[in-house]
Amino acid sequence: MSRLPRHYDADLLAAGALALAAALVTVLPFPDLVRAVLLLPAALLLPGYLVAAVLFVPGSLTQAERVIYVFSFSVVFWALSGLVVQVAIGLDRGVWLALLLILTAVAVPLAQARRGGGARPRRPARPELRKLAPIPIAMAIAAVAIALASSSADSQLDRARFSSVWILPSEATTSAVRVGAENREGTDVEYRLRVSREGVGLSRWRFTLGDRETWQREIYLPPIAGRAPVVVALFRNGRLYRRAALAPEALR
Amino acid sequence: MKRRKPPRLGAAPVLGVASALGLLLVALGDDAARSASAGGEPLFWLGLILIYGPIAFRLLSTSAPRGERIGLVVLLSISLFLVKVLYSPTGFVFYDELGWWRATHDLLSTGHFTSSNPLVITTPGFPGLDLLTAPLVALGRLSIFHAGTLVIGVVRTAFMLALFLFLERATRSSRAAGIGVAVYAANPSFLYFNGQFAYESVALLIGVTLLLATIRWTESRQRLGVRSLVATMALLSATLAVTHHMTSYAIFALLVGWAVFAELDAPPQKDGARSLLYTPALPAIMLGIAASAWFAFVAGGVTINELSGQLSGAITSAFDLVLGGSGPKKPFEAGGQANGWLARLIAVVSVLTLLAAIPLGVRKVWRGARKDPLQRVLAILAILYLATLGLRLTANGTEASQRASEFVFLGLAFLVAIVIRDLRNPAKAGGRAGLGVGLTALLTVVFLGGFIVGEPPQGRQPGPFLVAAERRSVSAEGLAAAHFAGAELPPGSRILVDHANAMLMGSYGGLDPVTRKIFGVPISKVFVDPTFDPRVRRLIRRGHIDYIVVDRRLSQTPPIGGYYFTAEEPGAFSRTQPISAAALGKFAQAPGLTKIYSNGAIAIYDTSGLRR
């Protein structure tokens, strides 16, 4: 191919426009829904469409075959390009977007050149809307089913009633510990928390947590000698509810 | 510019409403099952029948146009995929899905695919799925769950469409192709195993697309262009080799068989080598080179680790069964859960129907006037169904049987399709209607029976927590502990943990679960023994175990799935008593261990105190 084509078919122009739009919404601040609407077809369909357009001129494949190749070549593109590129550089959003844009820049003129003055893609069929009327109804019912299932699954998890307590080394110093609690009781709960070592109280707290709320504090310790652990006890309704401990070795 | 003619969709849009109502019934059934209310099961099965039955009826009809059949295949695929989505619509719960979540998460975090995955050891060797999903997450700003679900839904639908085209060529009939797709949906792995976020789902699409390209290569390469087809087959072969081991090997074997029959049937050619390349031999060579190179240089180790255990277990079990070393596994029972009489009857009728179709179909293929090498290799593939059934009777062959069914059913779908295609149509309308209804009922039973064979009773619907039941063991407490670990504990920390919690700790927790053995000692011993003795303490130190995760609920019942930690643990599949509560409680008093996290059901013990 000695020259870039001067004129491009509508489908290839649209592919190029989709790639550019994908780049713009990735770089600029756009609502997530707009991003998803543009980027998902760009990621799932565009690479395969372009590869199929380069390899197979219009009319050589049936419509059904072309659909299959579009999806398959999208898999091929992401799998093989990612495989090769990650050997040299790490894959991230910018790299993936660059791969998509490079493919578009190369494939669009190649596909046009292959078509030459020959067959053009036929315009899509005008759908018989009356016959497609049940489809939105079906989609709405399916959406209700999915919403019901999601709500049911969330409710099942929400039915569990428990509280958690933990103690960990401080990230900043070996002279402190982080203690925490989480409420998953389904209602507000008042807790008492006591940190002690060898029976000697080091710190006490009283707090109320709403459902799914978390409480954390960093507690400084006096110099530690011996092997007795630091103990955190969580009380609920005046009774010991949960207990955790941290060995001095974990602080070093 | 001329417009294409619109495809005639016939009844497909209306049947879409029926399928959607079926999905609503499934959702209502699953909702009842989650709260252990009555009526969950009947609603679920009714929903499946409402999805599958009308579509099967229309695919069986002789009057549906091709466009409608394609529409129905797409509808069937999407609807059955959504049945799986309804099982767990808010997060992954299947073991392999969580392993692939981990692989995709690691790729997104590091930009490279990592060298190990504690849940699915083959992910580093076959990164096709995470390389496909990660761009969707990064570019579309989706969660891995949503991106993965979308990927599998799209890939599965494209696969079913590709399967339709492949069977259309093999049977020379769009009606038979539609019937074949409906039969394929009856394979025991179809509804859940192949609908999960895992590499095999993607590989099946690439594999069947390669078969379609091979058809074009052998029959109409000049029209498409030799170079285009060669490039297509090369790209698909390379992608398949890096996506899934078994699918690569199965498609390679199919292509080789096809090429052999093509060579046997072909008249002698002057330029033998050149004519051989214009058969399935060329894509077979391409795939063979790609898969071999990938095995040799990248994925050999993980492939051997994964497949050797399954294959040796299956072969050993088969020999034990044949030579009398062990009795057969009880059919229709798994982990102490048994199917009711109706489920057993449906499963038996399903299997017998498929078995009956094999000799009828093989006879048609071998005695047919037209010698078609593709038909012959598919017929041989179908005969392997007998071997997969035998594996199901062995102690450790079920998984091998399950995985083989995806390939074997390619052949079965073809044979059943041509048997039905060639049934004589009754002259009277009443007779035709009766035949249609009868065949629809039979196909529906085959479909339901396949699902019953493939899924244990406790795994078919969601429900209350069960001990050691994989997807039924994903609970709020387990998720809370895993998210705590993911947020607070050093990534990659080695932990001893049971199988069900390992799924969560190894994915959302970012930890490295050890569930099999340390220095030859089964992990189960650490949990089951009544004392935490010095030998165990030494093992934990030598094994660099950072934490021990203890789920008190393991003492409630014997393991529903047959084992707590691994299928090879002592007492697997034969326990009648659970782990004792005292054994699980010993960790609280064990010297050197401190409980750093507790949510009542699950405790995480730090082992720092053992390293003095």
Side-chain angles (χ1 to χ4, degrees):
Chain A
M1 182 181 69
S2 56
R3 274 209 293 268
L4 290 175
R6 285 189 181 180
H7 302 285
Y8 290 87
D9 292 332
D11 64 314
L12 296 175
L13 285 175
L18 181 58
L20 285 174
L24 278 173
V25 298
T26 300
V27 169
L28 299 175
F30 271 89
D32 284 349
L33 186 61
V34 173
R35 272 207 186 96
V37 164
L38 271 174
L39 284 164
L40 289 177
L44 273 177
L45 301 178
L46 186 59
Y49 186 87
L50 289 171
V51 174
V54 169
L55 289 174
F56 301 112
V57 296
S60 57
L61 295 173
T62 65
Q63 228 178 342
E65 275 180 308
R66 192 169 288 273
V67 166
I68 290 162
Y69 281 119
V70 165
F71 287 113
S72 297
F73 283 141
S74 289
V75 175
V76 167
F77 171 73
W78 291 120
L80 296 184
S81 65
L83 191 66
V84 168
V85 167
Q86 66 88 40
V87 171
I89 58 173
L91 295 168
D92 61 19
R93 184 179 298 140
V95 172
W96 279 309
L97 185 61
L99 287 171
L100 190 61
L101 292 172
I102 291 169
L103 172 70
T104 306
V106 169
V108 165
L110 254 182
Q112 189 64 62
R114 277 214 71 201
R115 292 175 186 183
R120 289 290 175 274
R122 293 170 72 181
R123 291 163 74 188
R126 195 169 281 136
E128 297 178 42
L129 291 175
R130 184 172 49 89
K131 292 186 178 173
L132 297 180
I135 293 179
I137 300 170
M139 289 172 69
I141 297 172
V144 168
I146 294 171
L148 170 62
S150 301
S151 168
S152 170
D154 285 341
S155 297
Q156 182 183 18
L157 290 177
D158 287 344
R159 279 197 287 272
R161 298 282 180 260
F162 61 95
S163 301
S164 311
V165 72
W166 61 86
I167 180 168
L168 295 162
S170 166
E171 288 169 344
T173 170
T174 55
S175 309
V177 292
R178 285 181 295 134
V179 296
E182 184 189 17
N183 173 14
R184 295 287 295 270
E185 302 286 354
T187 183
D188 292 2
V189 175
E190 184 179 295
Y191 297 100
R192 278 194 304 116
L193 186 138
R194 181 173 182 260
V195 180
S196 63
R197 186 166 183 262
E198 292 182 300
V200 176
L202 301 175
S203 184
R204 284 174 190 271
W205 301 85
R206 186 191 290 265
F207 52 88
T208 300
L209 288 179
D211 186 40
R212 291 180 178 261
E213 281 188 355
T214 301
W215 176 95
Q216 284 205 87
R217 289 293 184 272
E218 189 133 309
I219 295 170
Y220 284 85
L221 304 171
I224 290 206
R227 301 188 57 242
V230 180
V231 177
V232 58
L234 187 70
F235 295 84
R236 184 186 173 198
N237 296 331
R239 283 191 285 191
L240 177 64
Y241 190 40
R242 297 274 182 265
R243 197 171 176 273
L246 188 67
E249 287 84 355
L251 289 167
R252 294 178 198 128
Chain B
M1 187 193 302
K2 266 180 142 178
R3 275 194 189 275
R4 293 179 188 273
K5 278 192 204 164
R8 290 166 56 204
L9 292 177
V14 172
L15 290 184
V17 177
S19 292
L21 288 170
L23 286 171
L24 191 56
L25 288 177
V26 167
L28 288 167
D30 285 349
D31 180 49
R34 283 192 185 91
S35 51
S37 306
E41 266 199 75
L43 283 169
F44 176 78
W45 292 110
L46 204 58
L48 283 187
I49 291 170
L50 190 54
I51 292 170
Y52 187 87
I55 293 175
F57 178 79
R58 198 58 191 148
L59 285 172
L60 283 162
S61 81
T62 54
S63 60
R66 183 174 182 267
E68 182 182 346
R69 296 185 196 280
I70 290 178
L72 290 171
V73 161
V74 171
L75 177 63
L76 183 67
S77 173
I78 293 173
S79 302
L80 292 181
F81 176 68
L82 287 178
V83 169
K84 190 268 171 193
V85 172
L86 294 179
Y87 187 106
S88 56
T90 55
F92 293 135
V93 297
F94 288 69
Y95 186 92
D96 282 5
E97 292 185 316
L98 289 164
W100 283 99
W101 185 98
R102 167 77 181 253
T104 308
H105 178 265
D106 288 351
L107 175 60
L108 287 162
S109 304
T110 65
H112 304 270
F113 46 93
T114 53
S115 58
S116 70
N117 182 324
L119 297 180
V120 180
I121 59 172
T122 44
T123 62
F126 297 96
L129 175 61
D130 37 334
L131 285 169
L132 172 63
T133 309
L136 247 71
V137 175
L139 295 174
R141 306 285 212 276
L142 295 177
S143 67
I144 297 175
F145 170 69
H146 288 119
T149 302
L150 186 63
V151 162
I152 297 303
V154 165
V155 156
R156 258 207 7 158
T157 304
F159 160 69
M160 291 286 268
L161 182 57
L163 183 62
F164 175 89
L165 294 183
F166 174 70
L167 289 174
E168 189 178 38
R169 157 53 187 86
T171 60
R172 311 279 180 190
S173 158
S174 64
R175 177 175 175 242
I179 295 168
V181 167
V183 172
Y184 187 87
N187 101 57
S189 304
F190 184 79
L191 201 52
Y192 286 168
F193 188 78
N194 284 142
Q196 63 177 335
F197 176 57
Y199 51 175
E200 195 157 9
S201 310
V202 178
L204 285 171
L205 166 63
I206 303 301
V208 176
T209 306
L210 179 59
L211 294 178
L212 281 178
T214 304
I215 288 172
R216 285 293 202 160
W217 175 247
T218 55
E219 297 180 357
S220 54
R221 59 184 165 273
Q222 299 304 333
R223 186 160 168 253
L224 264 67
V226 169
R227 283 186 290 185
S228 293
L229 276 173
V230 168
T232 296
M233 292 188 296
L235 288 171
L236 292 171
S237 297
T239 305
L240 186 55
V242 309
T243 301
H244 189 238
H245 39 57
M246 278 305 303
T247 308
S248 310
Y249 309 153
I251 297 294
F252 172 75
L254 201 157
L255 287 169
V256 167
W258 187 358
V260 166
F261 280 116
E263 187 59 19
L264 289 173
D265 290 342
Q269 298 280 334
K270 273 188 194 170
D271 190 346
R274 189 177 165 84
S275 70
L276 184 66
L277 283 178
Y278 291 142
T279 69
L282 180 62
I285 291 168
M286 288 178 172
L287 183 56
I289 291 173
S292 304
W294 192 249
F295 179 90
F297 295 109
V298 179
V302 296
T303 303
I304 290 171
N305 283 341
E306 158 112 338
L307 296 185
S308 61
Q310 287 177 24
L311 283 174
S312 66
I315 292 169
T316 308
S317 293
F319 271 111
D320 282 345
L321 181 66
V322 167
L323 299 175
S326 73
K329 199 178 77 177
K330 281 188 188 169
F332 306 115
E333 279 188 31
Q337 307 273 308
N339 284 282
W341 69 268
L342 183 58
R344 293 177 189 229
L345 180 63
I346 291 171
V348 167
V349 170
S350 170
V351 168
L352 288 178
T353 303
L354 293 172
L355 285 174
I358 293 175
L360 295 173
V362 168
R363 191 164 175 270
K364 279 184 184 298
V365 167
W366 246 264
R367 291 195 182 183
R370 191 191 178 107
K371 286 184 184 175
D372 188 323
L374 177 57
Q375 291 188 352
R376 290 179 178 216
V377 77
L378 287 174
I380 290 176
L381 193 56
I383 293 170
L384 293 176
Y385 179 62
L386 292 157
T388 65
L389 280 183
L391 281 175
R392 283 200 180 267
L393 292 176
T394 63
N396 293 322
T398 302
E399 186 164 357
S401 171
Q402 190 88 342
R403 288 167 186 266
S405 67
E406 295 129 28
F407 311 110
V408 164
F409 261 74
L410 289 176
L412 265 179
F414 162 73
L415 283 190
V416 173
I418 62 171
V419 168
I420 294 178
R421 178 196 66 190
D422 295 343
L423 284 176
R424 197 177 300 170
N425 230 357
K428 293 186 179 173
R432 287 197 296 273
L435 180 63
V437 170
L439 285 175
T440 300
L442 188 59
L443 263 192
T444 304
V445 166
V446 170
F447 167 70
L448 296 178
F451 181 55
I452 289 167
V453 167
E455 294 294 335
Q458 72 275 10
R460 293 173 196 149
Q461 287 185 271
F465 173 82
L466 292 176
V467 173
E470 258 194 33
R471 64 191 87 147
R472 287 287 301 272
S473 300
V474 175
S475 64
E477 292 90 338
L479 287 166
H483 287 301
F484 163 80
E488 303 291 353
L489 300 184
S493 299
R494 283 166 61 80
I495 60 171
L496 297 188
V497 63
D498 61 280
H499 179 78
N501 283 298
M503 297 193 317
L504 301 177
M505 289 292 178
S507 54
Y508 304 137
L511 305 182
D512 188 356
V514 179
T515 56
R516 293 181 186 270
K517 293 181 179 180
I518 318 178
F519 299 109
V521 178
I523 298 304
S524 57
K525 180 179 168 55
V526 176
F527 290 82
V528 170
D529 281 359
T531 57
F532 192 71
D533 61 35
R535 184 170 169 233
V536 171
R537 289 204 288 272
R538 274 197 302 277
L539 273 175
I540 288 171
R541 275 201 304 273
R542 284 180 63 202
H544 301 288
I545 302 299
D546 300 299
Y547 304 99
I548 301 175
V549 178
V550 180
D551 190 335
R552 279 192 328 154
R553 297 170 296 183
L554 300 188
S555 63
Q556 289 173 358
T557 72
I560 301 300
Y563 55 89
Y564 289 115
F565 301 92
T566 170
E568 292 83 32
E569 74 189 30
F573 302 103
S574 59
R575 277 188 187 280
T576 55
Q577 296 296 325
I579 298 178
S580 75
L584 294 178
K586 66 178 182 283
F587 297 99
Q589 278 79 42
L593 297 183
T594 47
K595 183 167 58 175
I596 61 167
Y597 173 91
S598 171
N599 65 23
I602 296 177
I604 301 177
Y605 291 88
D606 180 287
T607 64
S608 305
L610 294 177
R611 298 176 223 126
R612 296 178 200 173

